[in-house]
Amino acid sequence: MLLAIGSTSCNSLKKVEEEEYLIVKNTILVDSVKVTNEDVQSLIYQKTNTAILGYPLRLNLYNLAKENPDSLYQAWLNKKPNRQKRLEKLLSRKQVDRLGESFLVKGLSVWLKDVGEAPVILDTTQTRRSLERLSAFYNSKGYFNNSTTYLIDSTNGKRKVAVDYRINLGKPYYIDSLSNDISSKAIDSIYFLHADASLVKKGEQFDLNNFTLERERLTGIFRNSGIRNFQESSITFDIERDTVRASNDQKMNINLNIGDLRRRGENQVTTSEYRVEKINKVNVFTNFLSTTESAPLDSVRYEDLNIYYSGKFKIKPKTLADAIFFEKDSIYRDLDKIRTSRQLNSLNIFKYPNIIFEEDSIQNLVNTNIYLAPKSKYSLGTNFEVSRSNLRRIGVGMGASLLIRNIFKGAENLSISADGTFGLLSTDIFPDDFFSEIGGDISLDFPRIWFPFVNRTNLIPDYSLPKTRISAGTSFQKNIGLDKQTLNAILGYNWSPNDFKKHAIELLNIQFVRNVNRNRFYDVYRTTYNQLNAIAANSNVVNPDYFDENDNLTTVTTSTNDTIGTSSFIRDVISGEINDLNQEQIGDVRSIAEREQRLTENNLIFTTNYTFNKNNRNGILDNNFYQFRFKVESAGNLLSGFSNFIPFNENDDGQLLVFNVPFSQYIKTEFDYVKYWDLSRSNVLAARTFFGIAIPYGNSDNIPFVRSYFAGGSNDNRAWFPYSLGPGRTSALNDFNEANLKLALNLEYRFPLFGDLNGALFADAGNIWNVFDDVENEDATFNGLESLRDIALGSGFGLRYDFTYFLFRLDLGFKTYNPAEIPSKRWFRDYNFANSVLQIGINYPF
């Protein structure tokens, strides 16, 4: 290790000349206090070479490049008298020349320089420029008398230096008085209505940023108060230092100036007083691209809208009225323009709208012209993919979707899709190894909140992009697991009051799951079968029909849909006919029976749920934000209520049946919180916290498999494969492990490597448990705070390549703490490459 560190240290100076110095550290000291703020650090011109956990990777890659690869190649070629002749005789002169231009000789050095980073050599001119920037920055904070200097520290005479930037701030200036000079009467009256909320306040320390924010605040107020053409450049501040008072009494006088509107003509600039404008006409051109100036237009008037069109009128006027927020005789507001543009885009039947304002012949009135270009009525999409997994040798997927826009002339969009996957299974369990999965969906979107038998609701305003979706779908699987058939239907609503909040309600979410080949349970869930078979091998079973010729429990199906060996053995153990098993083995058999019943029974899930999303991210480049998701779901309550009036049938366990299927009843809630911290220079720290719980009651004593939680996978704990972690401290007794309580904590440090390749270090913690259900195994259940000792920890590293439109991700996870092991062997038992898990994903895990 010491040798590696020494080698790295020497290599970093490989391309630093004798009279040069490599900058290894920059420190900013303000009144002797170290400053770590990234905004301040970014003012330094000569930043140190980037490093990953202290290792200058890109610098060392740069140092590996040959400075003169052509000369080195020629020197090697002519080192021996006959080498060039032999190569030319073997290859030809032209190929020998090309060898010198090859990637290995020259291209590798060019590539290393491109992905690497040249050493940052001390330049005192740049150091002084950095001081000027630092001084200007603190001037903007009111420290006009600050002084700066720098100190270069060379350690033990080596060619490495640390630069200290030292700033003495002095006393700050404070705002002593505020005055204003406003030219336009309309501006003057609006300003004083909002003056109390000013960001520039008397008695506060001078901060230039507050003046910038105040200009933006006032501009927004004016443009939303009828001043359509207000120019932010009309706002200026006169800042006067008070030189009459004593030198230690540092005060400033601020005068706010708001000038008149300036218009630039061909030869001169004219000014005019700002005036409040009102909306006069609202003209909507619905097929702008298909019309010309000379083409005649038909028109229709609806409320405040003048709607112009050519040919056949293809949209209901009310739909346009609901999407346009300009009203005749109302004052102009930028907010109405933003909301109109946002809502028209959300309809998904027009291309980006163009809104143009024209001054009317009547003073202080403005006409609004909205130009809309319709999208194609039909859109066809197709997809094709090839996949392979540990269960499938190869799979080929195909799909198609058809979107029909404005189907009922109210911006209703109908979507029809179908897809299928076909291929070969990589298992010899089934005689026919060909599998297929086909499905289809149909959905209809409305640009409003629609309730059955109710035309409209005023609870949710139109500017929040209200949508209603009605959808139905089905899928069929063959030779996959138990060959499921599913039917689903959804009536849902969503709306977004702004860009940072989103609400979604699924009033009805109905899912029916039917297992076609329930008798194949032990053929599919082999781990469960092996556990049961091992117990049977040590029991006093006397019926030879239970076993095949290899003395394994048989899974031959009878006419009653039971399996002779497995089902009969379980029945005999539970009834006590087989009585030489210990309590642990009997408990395992009961658990297996419960699991078989749970995973083979058909499910009817009738739910209502609500989801709330909030984030404060400003654009895709914002790496300092949070996002929060909350969801609550209730299942079975409506059907349970109907049972008071409708006599439902019951099964032997007393469960109510609908279509001969016991309906699920539970309450489920989830919390998901993600936080990003922008560290510096594209380094990001990301954290995620997830908690979810589903509690069965009433008609259910467990959660349906399709609505339960699992742990492991590329977006969860990456040291475990999906469904392989938990529940609790159990040791993966089942093929697909799931439970109804989940806790997950993820932490990831992301950093750039070179080009579009990025790296990451991560730690994932969490697990799943059973709680408030029919599972009695203490190792799998949550029993209070002591169960938190069962939280698994995985750690590792990853590589990510950014393709701009998506990110391809490889993560290698190691089992750091495995609760399934005995307590003395839980830490670092399988922390090695042989037991690592490679996860492949698209985009970031959170």
Side-chain angles (χ1 to χ4, degrees), residues 639-640 643 647-651 654-658 661-663 699:
L639 294 177
S640 180
S643 67
F648 290 161
N649 294 329
E650 296 184 7
N651 61 13
Q655 292 178 301
L656 301 177
L657 304 178
V658 177
V661 177
F663 62 84
N699 209 50

Side-chain angles (χ1 to χ4, degrees), residues 748-762:
E748 184 168 283
Y749 170 57
R750 301 167 184 166
F751 50 87
L753 290 175
F754 42 80
D756 293 321
L757 185 66
N758 301 303
L761 301 174
F762 61 83

Side-chain angles (χ1 to χ4, degrees), residues 159-325:
R159 288 175 290 145
K160 294 182 179 181
V161 295
V163 182
D164 290 348
Y165 296 89
R166 301 183 176 185
I167 300 99
N168 293 318
L169 295 179
K171 292 184 178 181
Y173 276 78
Y174 290 85
I175 298 174
D176 183 48
S177 65
L178 294 170
S179 58
N180 61 79
D181 184 7
I182 303 175
S183 300
S184 301
K185 293 179 181 179
I187 294 291
D188 186 72
S189 60
I190 296 172
Y191 169 77
F192 281 103
L193 290 174
H194 302 274
D196 291 342
S198 175
L199 301 175
V200 178
K201 298 181 182 297
K202 181 180 179 180
E204 290 191 352
Q205 182 176 328
F206 177 88
D207 189 339
L208 189 60
N209 187 54
N210 288 339
F211 290 82
T212 302
L213 295 176
E214 177 66 2
R215 292 179 70 192
E216 294 175 357
R217 185 186 78 92
L218 291 176
T219 300
I221 289 172
F222 297 146
R223 288 181 179 172
N224 283 290
S225 301
I227 315 297
R228 175 183 58 86
N229 48 12
F230 184 81
Q231 301 164 340
E232 188 173 316
S233 59
S234 296
I235 303 175
T236 60
F237 292 93
D238 291 335
I239 302 172
E240 178 184 350
R241 300 189 201 180
D242 195 338
T243 58
V244 177
R245 304 185 185 207
S247 60
N248 61 353
D249 191 11
Q250 297 178 326
K251 303 292 185 179
M252 310 187 76
N253 302 317
I254 307 297
N255 186 66
L256 167 66
N257 301 301
I258 304 180
D260 287 334
L261 172 66
R262 295 169 61 88
R263 286 189 173 94
R264 184 178 298 277
E266 294 183 1
N267 301 316
Q268 61 180 347
V269 175
T270 61
T271 61
S272 60
E273 187 174 321
Y274 283 114
R275 298 182 183 276
V276 173
E277 293 181 331
K278 291 186 176 182
I279 302 296
N280 185 27
K281 297 178 181 178
V282 182
N283 304 316
V284 184
F285 300 86
T286 59
N287 45 3
F288 176 63
L289 292 184
S290 62
T291 62
T292 63
E293 293 183 1
S294 58
L297 295 177
D298 295 319
S299 67
V300 61
R301 183 170 178 84
Y302 183 84
E303 295 181 351
D304 292 337
L305 304 184
N306 301 312
I307 304 173
Y308 297 91
Y309 62 96
S310 63
K312 190 175 180 180
F313 190 53
K314 299 179 180 179
I315 187 168
K316 294 177 182 178
K318 187 178 186 307
T319 302
L320 293 174
D322 290 344
I324 295 173
F325 298 94

Side-chain angles (χ1 to χ4, degrees), residues 14-15 61-67 108-110 112-113:
K14 182 176 179 180
K15 295 188 178 180
L61 288 174
Y62 184 89
N63 288 338
L64 289 174
K66 303 296 184 183
E67 283 299 324
L108 179 59
S109 293
V110 174
L112 288 171
K113 284 189 174 183

